[in-house]
């Protein structure tokens, strides 16, 4: 009997798959709540629950099996129109899904999942059409269990069970193990090919043949196996019978057969650290390539030039592929937002419609990881502060259901994510009051302050305008964290708002952090890199072109007057003796433009962005560094913070 | 070599005329001073960043950190690299004197008269070895306090 095999090995597989199903269950449930009559959604959820139940059953996770079973019953009641997917029924399903999540976490930690008898009773009650909670009834024992002492041989001849795995089955040994365990419940295993030992060794195979002495319930079990995930074909025959006489087995229920179709991405999982290492190597390769190209050009050898151009092309391809591998769609982080918005809204008695556009836009994994929390903070703000209560909306003659929208779009070298609500908008007078109250501004300053400056205050730590501190958005923490998170990624955030009509948060983010185009410049014998995305042009100014407006130096380019920022002065280094000409980069960040004076413009190059540690992250003017072909470090200028100075 | 179970190995180094030591288990590696890239507008005790096998590592000038008289690094100067929470950090010191094993008994608690600029929070104790006095410092604590001021 294969019971000896360590189950823990397969828990991980279970946890991953179950999570995948749970995620889609949550998504579908949020949609179902909006359209309670959509029986297709009920059907989809039923299948997912059924699959979770099956997987958990085979692994012996009783708590999960029972919870999934109860959910399945309730969904079944919905399908047969006995129960409607509204109100209490929806809540209890969400609670069921949450309970499953908790159980899966326990399993992941190697702990026993805790059973939830109360919740299961509630699910059953609701399934019966009793919306009010009644006294808990004892749950009937699961009927699938077959007691060992009841076994009575159905056939004296040995049966042969033949199973072929689907090509896409990523882990046949695990499946085989699970099947062997299932088979052993209703039959005595005589032998198997591959052997239990080989299965345990995780050898790769596509077929499994098991010779058994069947017991009661064998046929039903075989049908259950046929319904499993990743199995192409199941045949049963008697020992000695030619293989073409064996009968194909049809899956247990049409329904569970369809469960197979819920796709689980056909992928290999690779640790992020491995991709990071690969990217580091590619980065070195990119640098080495630049040197090779340079040397080859100087050399003038035709054969060498051919090889170099080949390597040049391959390097570019490898680079873009490696960067591509790291890109994942935005919707991977968006998936949990609908549920979150729904929960908070419900909690506050608000009605909110939540839509996402552009979720298919892909960003580097690092960006995706770090953007989730800022977006979450903003969404909470929208639900909590933005959208008005039902009453207020009525008074304002708005439709009762508020609308929160996330729209992501590609903008040249950035991604723009706009999160907007149609709520009350930001009350500038309230900000003014608060700014004066906190002595951040004098009354006069506050009264004349521009909207932009007032909105800027919202990003300061501890500045919150809602009178009562609510559980959801807390005490003014949030927006300052949002700004920090976004800026750490090299992005920026802006708010626009009009009173009564709503608020929009705009996040500009880079697609990838890894490799960027940059201009290398020198300032006081050190090399710096300026991201090409921020440069609009380079120019040489005659010293006499520099004019002064009050204390600030300005230059004029094709009629446009812009501030001149001398980088030496910015960094607190002595100015060099006045030269006749100034090397200038015209840079822009958001709507601001300026001319940066540097000692020299050196080269245009691709650089690999490396982050500085926490001691240097707050330094103004610098956003990171890169390592040049020579091994020297070039710091990356942070144009945004330079322009703010 | 005498082996005492109640002892630990330390890396001793000099700053000005004083001797200090770090627990060897927190030290990753030691380098002669190499190209350190200056970071303008950074806190004054930060010497700059160096390239440690493709990673950017912040180098902290311990003389400045401990508010001792500043000095240009020379050929005896060393950078002691500490592994702090996954991100290595370098400490610039005048000279690494030795690797020494100190018995727990020889370490005395921090006296109240610890010099100015050296906050007692990161001093673990004072070791007396013959006529030398070695101040044992917790490098991670130094870092923790450094990032708070910056």
């Amino acid at each position: 009997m294969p019971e000896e095999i360590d189950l823990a090995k397969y828990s991980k597989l279970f946890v991953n798959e179950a999570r995948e199903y749970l995620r889609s269950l949550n998504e579908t449930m949020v949609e179902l709540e909006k359209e309670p009559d959509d029986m297709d959604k009920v059907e989809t959820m039923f299948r997912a629950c059924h699959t979770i139940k099956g997987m958990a059953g085979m692994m012996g996770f009783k708590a999960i099996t029972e919870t999934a079973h109860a959910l399945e019953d309730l969904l079944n009641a919905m399908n047969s129109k006995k129960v409607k997917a509204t109100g209490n029924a929806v809540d209890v399903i969400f609670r069921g899904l949450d309970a499953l999540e908790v159980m899966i976490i326990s399993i992941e930690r190697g702990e026993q999942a805790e059973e939830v008898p109360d919740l299961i009773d509630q699910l059953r009650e609701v399934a019966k059409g009793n919306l009010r909670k009644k006294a808990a009834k004892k749950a009937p024992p699961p009927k699938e269990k077959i007691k060992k002492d009841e076994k009575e041989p159905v056939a004296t001849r040995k049966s042969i069970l033949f199973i072929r795995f689907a090509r896409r089955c990523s882990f046949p040994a695990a499946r085989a193990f699970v099947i062997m365990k299932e088979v052993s419940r209703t039959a005595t295993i005589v032998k198997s090919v591959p052997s239990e030992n080989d299965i345990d060794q995780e050898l790769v195979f596509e077929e499994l043949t098991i010779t058994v002495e069947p017991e009661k319930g064998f046929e039903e079990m075989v049908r259950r196996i046929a319904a499993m995930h990743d199995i192409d074909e199941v045949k049963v025959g008697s020992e000695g019978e030619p293989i073409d006489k064996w009968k194909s087995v049809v899956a247990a229920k049409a329904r569970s057969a369809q469960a197979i179709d819920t796709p689980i991405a056909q992928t290999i999982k690779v640790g992020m650290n491995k991709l990071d290492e690969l990217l580091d190597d590619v980065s070195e390769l990119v640098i080495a390539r630049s040197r090779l190209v340079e040397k080859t050009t100087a050399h003038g050898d035709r054969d060498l030039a051919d090889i170099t151009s080949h390597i040049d092309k391959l390097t570019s391809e490898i680079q873009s592929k490696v960067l591509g591998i790291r890109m994942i769609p935005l919707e991977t982080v968006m998936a949990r937002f609908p549920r979150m918005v729904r929960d908070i809204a419900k909690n506050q008695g608000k009605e909110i419609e939540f839509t996402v556009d552009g979720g298919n836009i892909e960003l580097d994994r690092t960006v995706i990881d770090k953007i989730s929390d800022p977006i979450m903070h903003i969404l909470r703000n929208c639900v909590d502060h933005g959208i008005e209560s039902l009453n207020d909306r009525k008074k304002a003659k708005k439709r009762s259901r508020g609308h929160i929208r996330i729209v992501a779009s590609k903008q040249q070298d950035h991604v723009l994510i706009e999160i907007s609500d149609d709520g009350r908008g930001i009350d500038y007078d309230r900000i003014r009051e608060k700014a004066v109250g906190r002595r951040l501004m004098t009354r006069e300053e506050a009264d004349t302050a521009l909207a932009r400056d007032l909105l800027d205050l919202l990003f300061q730590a501890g500045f919150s305008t809602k009178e009562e501190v609510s559980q959801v958005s807390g005490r003014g923490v949030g927006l300052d964290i949002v700004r920090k998170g976004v800026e750490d990624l090299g992005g920026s955030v802006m708010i626009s708002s009009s009173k009564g009509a709503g608020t929009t948060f705009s996040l500009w983010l880079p697609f990838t952090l890894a490799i960027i185009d940059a201009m290398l410049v020198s300032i006081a014998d050190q090399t710096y890199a300026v991201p090409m995305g921020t440069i609009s042009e380079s120019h040489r100014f005659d010293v006499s072109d520099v004019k002064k407006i009050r204390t600030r130096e300005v230059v004029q380019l094709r009629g446009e007057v812009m501030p001149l920022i001398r980088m030496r002065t910015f960094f607190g280094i002595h100015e060099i003796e006045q030269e006749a000409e100034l090397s200038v980069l015209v840079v822009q960040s958001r709507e601001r433009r300026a001319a940066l004076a540097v000692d020299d413009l050196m080269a245009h190059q691709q650089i690999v962005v490396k982050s500085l540690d926490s001691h240097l992250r707050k330094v103004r003017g610098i956003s990171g560094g890169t390592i040049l072909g020579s091994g020297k470090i070039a710091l990356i200028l942070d144009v945004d913070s330079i322009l703010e100075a | 070599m005498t082996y005492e179970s109640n002892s630990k190995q330390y890396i001793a180094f000099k700053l000005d005329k004083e001797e200090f030591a770090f627990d060897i288990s927190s030290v990753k590696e030691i380098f002669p001073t190499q190209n350190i890239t200056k970071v303008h507008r950074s806190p004054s005790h930060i010497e700059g960043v160096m390239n440690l096998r493709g990673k950017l590592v912040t180098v902290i000038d311990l003389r400045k950190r401990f508010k001792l008289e500043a000095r240009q690094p020379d050929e005896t100067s060393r950078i002691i690299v500490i592994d702090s929470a996954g991100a290595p950090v370098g400490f610039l010191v005048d000279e690494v004197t030795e690797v020494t094993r100190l018995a727990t008994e020889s370490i005395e608690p921090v006296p109240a008269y610890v010099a100015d600029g050296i906050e007692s929070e990161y001093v673990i104790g004072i070791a007396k070895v013959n006529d030398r006095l070695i101040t044992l410092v917790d490098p991670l604590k130094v870092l923790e306090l450094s990032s708070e001021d910056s």
Side-chain angles (χ1 to χ4, degrees), chain A residues 143-284:
Chain A
K143 57 181 174 198
E144 267 166 297
K145 265 199 186 139
I146 280 132
K147 288 187 190 114
K148 289 277 187 248
D149 48 22
E150 272 176 16
K151 61 179 160 191
E152 46 179 89
V154 175
T156 42
R157 281 175 85 185
K158 288 177 186 140
S159 292
I160 297 176
L161 186 58
F162 169 86
I163 294 151
R164 197 169 67 230
F165 296 99
R167 273 266 175 78
R168 64 189 162 98
C169 178
S170 49
F171 203 2
R175 285 283 166 221
F177 165 72
V178 162
I179 289 168
M180 295 287 275
K181 192 161 192 287
E182 181 81 346
V183 170
S184 70
R185 287 211 239 158
T186 57
T188 308
I189 296 174
V190 179
K191 69 165 193 176
S192 72
V193 182
S195 67
E196 280 174 33
N197 198 23
D198 285 348
I199 294 172
D200 200 25
Q201 300 292 311
E202 296 178 7
L203 297 178
V204 176
F205 49 85
E206 284 179 14
E207 297 173 356
L208 174 67
T209 314
I210 312 172
T211 311
V212 294
E213 285 170 358
E215 290 156 17
K216 195 180 170 195
F218 177 71
E219 281 169 38
E220 197 198 321
M221 179 274 299
V222 172
R223 283 203 300 276
R224 273 207 303 277
I225 290 178
M228 278 181 193
H229 209 79
D230 283 352
I231 284 171
D232 261 4
E233 192 180 18
V234 176
K235 282 183 175 178
V236 178
S238 306
E239 201 176 31
E241 209 178 14
I243 193 157
D244 52 319
K245 290 268 174 72
W246 293 1
K247 278 188 290 178
S248 281
V249 178
V250 187
K253 291 181 210 157
R255 233 178 210 165
S256 25
Q258 283 169 15
I260 301 167
D261 296 338
T262 315
I264 283 180
Q266 193 184 355
T267 46
I268 302 174
K269 283 195 178 151
V270 182
M272 209 39 213
N273 57 336
K274 284 193 181 160
L275 283 185
D276 284 344
E277 280 167 26
L278 183 61
L279 184 67
D280 276 345
D281 290 344
V282 171
S283 315
E284 301 285 311

Side-chain angles (χ1 to χ4, degrees), chain A residues 526 528 570 610 613 627 631, chain B residues 38 40-41 50-51 54 58:
Chain A
Q526 272 191 194
Y528 291 83
F570 180 86
K610 310 223 169 196
D613 75 13
I627 291 165
Chain B
K38 201 125 196 78
H40 299 286
R41 301 183 77 133
M50 65 181 232
N51 171 6
T58 304

Side-chain angles (χ1 to χ4, degrees), chain A residues 612-616, chain B residues 46 48-50 56-60 88-91:
Chain A
L612 295 167
D613 75 13
S614 53
H615 300 271
L616 294 171
Chain B
I46 289 178
V49 284
M50 65 181 232
L56 303 184
V57 172
T58 304
V59 180
I60 291 175
V89 172
F91 284 112

Side-chain angles (χ1 to χ4, degrees), chain A residues 284 523-524 526-528 569-573 610-616 618-622 624-627 631-635 645, chain B residues 35-43 45-46 48-58 60 84 87-89 143-144 146-148 150:
Chain A
E284 301 285 311
I523 302 163
Q526 272 191 194
T527 306
Y528 291 83
T569 317
F570 180 86
F571 282 140
I573 314 164
K610 310 223 169 196
S611 57
L612 295 167
D613 75 13
S614 53
H615 300 271
L616 294 171
K618 286 183 208 150
V619 176
R620 293 191 81 83
I622 302 291
T626 186
I627 291 165
K632 281 196 177 163
I633 296 172
L635 296 170
Chain B
N35 277 318
I36 296 178
T37 305
K38 201 125 196 78
V39 181
H40 299 286
R41 301 183 77 133
S42 61
H45 63 266
I46 289 178
V49 284
M50 65 181 232
N51 171 6
L52 179 64
R53 288 184 294 275
K55 269 208 172 112
L56 303 184
V57 172
T58 304
I60 291 175
S84 85
V89 172
L143 288 179
E144 215 176 279
S146 303
S147 41
E148 275 166 22
S150 61

Side-chain angles (χ1 to χ4, degrees), chain A residues 330 334 355-361 405-409 416-418:
Chain A
L330 204 51
M334 303 284 193
T355 53
V356 176
D357 286 325
N360 56 344
I361 289 178
R405 239 165 97 89
I406 296 187
V407 182
S409 55
L416 171 61
I417 301 176
E418 288 174 299

